[in-house]
Amino acid sequence: AQKVTQAQTEISVVEKEDVTLDCVYETRDTTYYLFWYKQPPSGELVFLIRRNSFDEQNEISGRYSWNFQKSTSSFNFTITASQVVDSAVYFCALSEARSGGSNYKLTFGKGTLLTVNP
Amino acid sequence: NAGVTQTPKFQVLKTGQSMTLQCAQDMNHNSMYWYRQDPGMGLRLIYYSASEGTTDKGEVPNGYNVSRLNKREFSLRLESAAPSQTSVYFCASSIETAFGYGYTFGSGTRLTVV
């Protein structure tokens, strides 16, 4: 069974600090996808990134960056120069990747509540 | 607008009442899902449907039933609501693409059982 662990339940930082959200996953599959979602106080789930298990390149998108390391089964997310608008719950998630157009259940971590204080 | 539409957005039920949460997607996705979100627990899968005509249990199916009415619609029914079913419910759909799985989530239904 697949599992996602986000050990940090809550993080509080002051604006402009850098912050890293940790995600560790377990899966028996060799092919899988990893995701990060943001859930702001309004409640909707906002897709941030998808990474497949064959692509270990780090990714940067503006102030956001992701570090994927298969050797440690981790997919960490860093926000550089945090802003108050970054305050949200962040979820890491994992899906197996089976071909054929069938479902692939997304398994979520419990989330990390990030509070960025002015 | 394309996406996943959930109704209602808010609902208050009394213990023992029944209700159906509706979900529809217009993206021609094969797979659909119901999740519940509770504080500190993340999103947990209740039921999913790999394709029209099939449904399977997820992690927390007890107290729920589902119907995949057609490719677009996937409903979640609470036959006899209990306070433990107070939660935010998300419907989602997915499709496999050349770039991997894409998931789309509805905006959620906040259900309170009193």
Side-chain angles (χ1 to χ4, degrees), chain A residues 3 9 11 13-14 29 38-39 49 62 74 76-77 81 91 101 106-112:
Chain A
K3 183 178 178 183
T9 305
I11 301 175
V13 300
V14 176
D29 286 343
K38 174 182 180 179
Q39 187 177 46
I49 191 171
S74 65
N76 296 337
F77 172 31
F91 292 101
L106 204 51
T107 298
F108 285 83
K110 294 184 178 182
T112 298

Side-chain angles (χ1 to χ4, degrees), chain A residues 33 35 37 39 42-45 47 50 52 89 91 95-111, chain B residues 30-31 33 35 37 40-45 48-50 57-58 90 94 96-107:
Chain A
Y33 294 95
F35 299 77
Y37 286 88
Q39 187 177 46
S42 54
E44 74 275 22
L45 286 163
F47 168 77
R50 172 181 58 215
N52 75 50
V89 180
F91 292 101
S95 75
E96 299 164 342
R98 298 180 188 172
S99 63
S102 296
N103 120 75
Y104 287 73
K105 299 176 280 186
L106 204 51
T107 298
F108 285 83
K110 294 184 178 182
Chain B
N30 291 324
S31 302
Y33 313 81
Y35 287 87
Q37 182 181 12
M41 297 299 294
L43 279 78
R44 293 180 293 168
L45 183 64
Y48 62 97
S49 170
K57 294 179 181 179
F90 287 96
S94 72
E96 184 179 17
T97 72
F99 304 101
Y101 285 90
Y103 296 84
T104 302
F105 284 84
S107 58

Side-chain angles (χ1 to χ4, degrees), chain A residues 23-34 51-58 67-76 94:
Chain A
C23 173
V24 174
Y25 62 92
E26 296 175 28
T27 179
R28 294 181 182 177
D29 286 343
T30 56
T31 304
Y32 50 89
Y33 294 95
L34 294 162
R51 173 66 74 220
N52 75 50
S53 54
F54 295 114
D55 182 359
E56 286 193 75
Q57 279 191 320
N58 292 333
N67 182 276
F68 176 30
Q69 293 196 335
K70 285 180 76 171
S71 61
T72 56
S73 296
S74 65
F75 186 44
N76 296 337
L94 167 70

Side-chain angles (χ1 to χ4, degrees), chain A residues 38 60-65 77-83 85-86:
Chain A
K38 174 182 180 179
I60 298 174
S61 175
R63 296 184 297 106
Y64 295 171
S65 62
F77 172 31
T78 297
I79 302 174
T80 302
S82 60
Q83 299 177 2
V85 294
D86 295 326

Side-chain angles (χ1 to χ4, degrees), chain B residues 49-67:
Chain B
S49 170
S51 59
E52 185 179 353
T54 69
T55 60
D56 285 285
K57 294 179 181 179
E59 183 184 353
V60 289
N62 292 345
Y64 304 95
N65 285 302
V66 290
S67 295

